[in-house]
Short mmCIF file of all heavy atoms in Angstrom, two decimals:
data_model
loop_
_atom_site.label_atom_id
_atom_site.label_comp_id
_atom_site.label_asym_id
_atom_site.label_seq_id
_atom_site.Cartn_x
_atom_site.Cartn_y
_atom_site.Cartn_z
N VAL R 1 148.98 132.58 111.45
CA VAL R 1 148.36 131.43 110.77
C VAL R 1 148.88 130.11 111.18
O VAL R 1 148.19 129.09 111.32
CB VAL R 1 148.53 131.53 109.20
CG1 VAL R 1 150.06 131.36 108.81
CG2 VAL R 1 147.63 130.51 108.43
N ASP R 2 150.13 130.06 111.74
CA ASP R 2 150.75 128.77 112.18
C ASP R 2 150.06 128.39 113.54
O ASP R 2 150.09 127.15 113.86
CB ASP R 2 152.24 128.93 112.37
CG ASP R 2 153.00 128.88 111.04
OD1 ASP R 2 152.37 128.54 110.05
OD2 ASP R 2 154.16 129.32 111.07
N THR R 3 149.46 129.23 114.25
CA THR R 3 148.80 128.90 115.51
C THR R 3 147.29 128.76 115.24
O THR R 3 146.61 128.03 116.04
CB THR R 3 149.08 129.92 116.58
OG1 THR R 3 148.67 131.21 116.05
CG2 THR R 3 150.55 130.07 116.89
N MET R 4 146.79 129.37 114.25
CA MET R 4 145.27 129.27 113.91
C MET R 4 145.03 128.09 113.11
O MET R 4 143.85 127.63 113.05
CB MET R 4 144.77 130.57 113.37
CG MET R 4 144.93 131.77 114.26
SD MET R 4 144.07 133.26 113.72
CE MET R 4 142.35 132.89 114.15
N VAL R 5 145.91 127.60 112.32
CA VAL R 5 145.76 126.39 111.54
C VAL R 5 146.71 125.36 111.86
O VAL R 5 147.98 125.56 111.64
CB VAL R 5 145.86 126.73 110.09
CG1 VAL R 5 145.67 125.47 109.21
CG2 VAL R 5 144.85 127.82 109.61
N THR R 6 146.32 124.30 112.53
CA THR R 6 147.27 123.31 113.14
C THR R 6 146.86 121.93 112.82
O THR R 6 145.72 121.63 112.43
CB THR R 6 147.38 123.45 114.64
OG1 THR R 6 146.12 123.27 115.24
CG2 THR R 6 147.93 124.87 115.00
N ALA R 7 147.76 120.94 112.96
CA ALA R 7 147.53 119.54 112.82
C ALA R 7 148.04 118.77 114.04
O ALA R 7 149.23 118.41 114.08
CB ALA R 7 148.12 118.95 111.56
N PRO R 8 147.28 118.69 115.13
CA PRO R 8 147.81 118.02 116.38
C PRO R 8 148.16 116.51 116.08
O PRO R 8 148.96 116.02 116.91
CB PRO R 8 146.60 118.09 117.24
CG PRO R 8 145.42 118.42 116.43
CD PRO R 8 145.86 119.07 115.34
N ASP R 9 147.66 115.88 115.17
CA ASP R 9 148.08 114.60 114.77
C ASP R 9 147.84 114.36 113.24
O ASP R 9 147.28 115.28 112.63
CB ASP R 9 147.43 113.44 115.52
CG ASP R 9 145.81 113.52 115.45
OD1 ASP R 9 145.41 113.36 114.27
OD2 ASP R 9 145.19 113.68 116.51
N GLU R 10 148.28 113.21 112.70
CA GLU R 10 148.24 113.06 111.25
C GLU R 10 146.82 112.96 110.64
O GLU R 10 146.63 113.26 109.38
CB GLU R 10 148.93 111.77 110.89
CG GLU R 10 150.45 111.81 111.04
CD GLU R 10 151.18 110.68 110.35
OE1 GLU R 10 150.50 109.76 109.94
OE2 GLU R 10 152.38 110.68 110.22
N SER R 11 145.79 112.83 111.48
CA SER R 11 144.49 112.69 110.96
C SER R 11 143.51 113.80 111.37
O SER R 11 142.35 113.90 110.95
CB SER R 11 143.83 111.42 111.40
OG SER R 11 143.65 111.36 112.84
N THR R 12 144.03 114.80 112.10
CA THR R 12 143.25 115.87 112.68
C THR R 12 143.78 117.29 112.23
O THR R 12 144.90 117.56 112.50
CB THR R 12 143.16 115.84 114.25
OG1 THR R 12 142.74 114.56 114.57
CG2 THR R 12 142.26 116.85 114.76
N LEU R 13 142.89 118.00 111.51
CA LEU R 13 143.12 119.36 111.14
C LEU R 13 142.24 120.34 111.95
O LEU R 13 141.08 120.15 111.98
CB LEU R 13 142.89 119.52 109.68
CG LEU R 13 142.87 120.95 109.11
CD1 LEU R 13 144.26 121.59 109.12
CD2 LEU R 13 142.29 121.03 107.70
N VAL R 14 142.93 121.27 112.74
CA VAL R 14 142.11 122.19 113.48
C VAL R 14 142.25 123.65 112.87
O VAL R 14 143.37 124.10 112.77
CB VAL R 14 142.62 122.26 114.91
CG1 VAL R 14 141.83 123.25 115.78
CG2 VAL R 14 142.48 120.82 115.58
N VAL R 15 141.12 124.18 112.51
CA VAL R 15 141.09 125.49 111.85
C VAL R 15 140.42 126.48 112.81
O VAL R 15 139.27 126.30 113.12
CB VAL R 15 140.37 125.38 110.50
CG1 VAL R 15 140.14 126.86 109.90
CG2 VAL R 15 141.20 124.53 109.50
N GLN R 16 141.03 127.48 113.20
CA GLN R 16 140.41 128.52 113.99
C GLN R 16 140.27 129.82 113.19
O GLN R 16 141.16 130.14 112.39
CB GLN R 16 141.23 128.90 115.25
CG GLN R 16 141.50 127.73 116.20
CD GLN R 16 142.28 128.05 117.37
OE1 GLN R 16 141.92 128.84 118.21
NE2 GLN R 16 143.49 127.43 117.48
N ILE R 17 139.12 130.54 113.33
CA ILE R 17 138.92 131.72 112.54
C ILE R 17 138.73 132.81 113.57
O ILE R 17 138.25 132.67 114.72
CB ILE R 17 137.71 131.61 111.67
CG1 ILE R 17 136.41 131.35 112.42
CG2 ILE R 17 137.93 130.51 110.59
CD1 ILE R 17 135.17 131.41 111.50
N GLY R 18 139.04 134.04 113.10
CA GLY R 18 138.91 135.31 113.92
C GLY R 18 137.72 136.10 113.74
O GLY R 18 137.63 137.27 114.09
N VAL R 19 136.72 135.53 112.95
CA VAL R 19 135.52 136.27 112.67
C VAL R 19 134.34 135.34 112.90
O VAL R 19 134.46 134.12 113.04
CB VAL R 19 135.51 136.69 111.11
CG1 VAL R 19 136.57 137.83 110.94
CG2 VAL R 19 135.67 135.56 110.25
N ASP R 20 133.12 135.93 112.94
CA ASP R 20 131.94 135.22 113.16
C ASP R 20 131.15 134.84 111.85
O ASP R 20 130.04 135.32 111.64
CB ASP R 20 130.94 136.02 114.12
CG ASP R 20 131.57 136.22 115.48
OD1 ASP R 20 132.11 135.18 116.03
OD2 ASP R 20 131.38 137.21 116.08
N PHE R 21 131.92 134.03 111.01
CA PHE R 21 131.26 133.68 109.81
C PHE R 21 130.43 132.35 110.01
O PHE R 21 130.71 131.57 110.81
CB PHE R 21 132.29 133.42 108.74
CG PHE R 21 132.81 134.61 108.01
CD1 PHE R 21 132.35 135.88 108.32
CD2 PHE R 21 133.80 134.49 107.03
CE1 PHE R 21 132.75 136.99 107.63
CE2 PHE R 21 134.26 135.62 106.31
CZ PHE R 21 133.74 136.86 106.67
N ALA R 22 129.35 132.23 109.27
CA ALA R 22 128.60 131.02 109.18
C ALA R 22 129.47 129.91 108.77
O ALA R 22 130.32 130.02 107.87
CB ALA R 22 127.38 131.18 108.20
N PRO R 23 129.29 128.72 109.33
CA PRO R 23 130.04 127.55 108.96
C PRO R 23 129.99 127.32 107.45
O PRO R 23 131.01 126.98 106.84
CB PRO R 23 129.52 126.42 109.75
CG PRO R 23 128.95 127.17 110.96
CD PRO R 23 128.44 128.40 110.53
N SER R 24 128.85 127.48 106.85
CA SER R 24 128.72 127.18 105.38
C SER R 24 129.56 128.11 104.58
O SER R 24 130.11 127.72 103.52
CB SER R 24 127.30 127.33 104.93
OG SER R 24 126.69 128.58 105.26
N LEU R 25 129.81 129.34 105.03
CA LEU R 25 130.70 130.26 104.31
C LEU R 25 132.13 129.89 104.48
O LEU R 25 132.97 129.90 103.52
CB LEU R 25 130.53 131.70 104.79
CG LEU R 25 131.45 132.75 104.29
CD1 LEU R 25 131.44 132.79 102.76
CD2 LEU R 25 130.98 134.14 104.82
N VAL R 26 132.54 129.40 105.67
CA VAL R 26 133.85 128.88 105.94
C VAL R 26 134.16 127.62 105.07
O VAL R 26 135.20 127.57 104.35
CB VAL R 26 134.16 128.55 107.44
CG1 VAL R 26 135.45 127.94 107.57
CG2 VAL R 26 133.90 129.77 108.34
N TYR R 27 133.14 126.81 104.99
CA TYR R 27 133.24 125.60 104.01
C TYR R 27 133.46 126.01 102.61
O TYR R 27 134.28 125.41 101.92
CB TYR R 27 132.05 124.70 104.23
CG TYR R 27 131.80 124.14 105.57
CD1 TYR R 27 130.55 123.84 106.02
CD2 TYR R 27 132.87 123.98 106.48
CE1 TYR R 27 130.26 123.26 107.35
CE2 TYR R 27 132.64 123.47 107.84
CZ TYR R 27 131.33 123.23 108.22
OH TYR R 27 131.10 122.78 109.43
N ALA R 28 132.72 127.01 102.19
CA ALA R 28 132.94 127.49 100.80
C ALA R 28 134.22 127.97 100.44
O ALA R 28 134.85 127.70 99.47
CB ALA R 28 131.82 128.51 100.53
N LEU R 29 134.82 128.66 101.41
CA LEU R 29 136.20 129.18 101.22
C LEU R 29 137.20 128.04 101.25
O LEU R 29 138.12 128.11 100.44
CB LEU R 29 136.56 130.22 102.37
CG LEU R 29 135.78 131.49 102.39
CD1 LEU R 29 135.91 132.26 103.64
CD2 LEU R 29 136.08 132.37 101.20
N LEU R 30 137.00 127.05 102.10
CA LEU R 30 137.95 125.88 102.07
C LEU R 30 137.68 124.98 100.80
O LEU R 30 138.43 124.03 100.59
CB LEU R 30 137.78 125.12 103.40
CG LEU R 30 138.23 125.89 104.59
CD1 LEU R 30 137.95 125.00 105.84
CD2 LEU R 30 139.66 126.46 104.50
N GLY R 31 136.53 125.17 100.24
CA GLY R 31 136.21 124.40 99.00
C GLY R 31 136.63 125.15 97.66
O GLY R 31 136.39 124.67 96.65
N SER R 32 137.30 126.35 97.82
CA SER R 32 137.75 127.01 96.72
C SER R 32 139.17 126.49 96.40
O SER R 32 139.72 125.68 96.96
CB SER R 32 137.80 128.62 96.97
OG SER R 32 138.79 128.89 97.92
N VAL R 33 139.79 127.11 95.30
CA VAL R 33 141.08 126.68 94.86
C VAL R 33 142.14 126.69 95.92
O VAL R 33 143.02 125.76 96.01
CB VAL R 33 141.51 127.51 93.65
CG1 VAL R 33 141.83 128.99 94.01
CG2 VAL R 33 142.79 126.80 92.92
N VAL R 34 142.11 127.62 96.98
CA VAL R 34 143.04 127.69 97.98
C VAL R 34 142.88 126.67 99.05
O VAL R 34 143.72 126.52 99.88
CB VAL R 34 143.06 129.12 98.60
CG1 VAL R 34 143.55 130.18 97.71
CG2 VAL R 34 141.68 129.42 99.15
N GLY R 35 141.88 125.81 98.95
CA GLY R 35 141.63 124.72 99.80
C GLY R 35 142.22 123.46 99.32
O GLY R 35 142.03 122.41 99.93
N SER R 36 142.89 123.56 98.15
CA SER R 36 143.61 122.33 97.61
C SER R 36 144.73 121.87 98.56
O SER R 36 145.45 122.71 99.18
CB SER R 36 144.27 122.70 96.25
OG SER R 36 143.28 123.24 95.35
N VAL R 37 144.81 120.51 98.69
CA VAL R 37 145.71 119.89 99.58
C VAL R 37 146.92 119.57 98.79
O VAL R 37 146.90 118.78 97.89
CB VAL R 37 145.22 118.72 100.36
CG1 VAL R 37 146.27 118.12 101.27
CG2 VAL R 37 143.97 119.08 101.14
N VAL R 38 148.05 120.13 99.16
CA VAL R 38 149.33 119.97 98.48
C VAL R 38 150.24 118.98 99.24
O VAL R 38 150.33 119.00 100.42
CB VAL R 38 150.08 121.36 98.30
CG1 VAL R 38 151.43 121.22 97.56
CG2 VAL R 38 149.21 122.33 97.59
N ASP R 39 151.00 118.15 98.50
CA ASP R 39 151.91 117.24 99.00
C ASP R 39 153.15 117.99 99.55
O ASP R 39 153.98 118.45 98.83
CB ASP R 39 152.38 116.20 97.90
CG ASP R 39 153.30 115.12 98.37
OD1 ASP R 39 153.93 115.28 99.38
OD2 ASP R 39 153.37 114.12 97.66
N SER R 40 153.14 118.29 100.83
CA SER R 40 154.14 119.17 101.34
C SER R 40 155.50 118.65 101.20
O SER R 40 156.46 119.34 100.96
CB SER R 40 153.80 119.46 102.88
OG SER R 40 153.89 118.21 103.62
#
């Protein structure tokens, strides 16, 4: 996960997936509770 989900700079989030899901399904997953952005 540390290599598939990265932040190359403060404004860019890069998410790589290992399956052929429709983008709308990926967005739905990132719009669920686990897509909450926490103050690290």
Side-chain angles (χ1 to χ4, degrees):
V1 70
D2 285 346
T3 57
M4 297 190 77
V5 181
T6 60
D9 58 58
E10 288 194 350
S11 64
T12 307
L13 169 69
V14 179
V15 170
Q16 299 179 63
I17 63 174
V19 292
D20 293 320
F21 276 0
S24 55
L25 176 52
V26 177
Y27 299 151
L29 293 168
L30 297 180
S32 69
V33 65
V34 291
S36 301
V37 180
V38 179
D39 185 337
S40 61

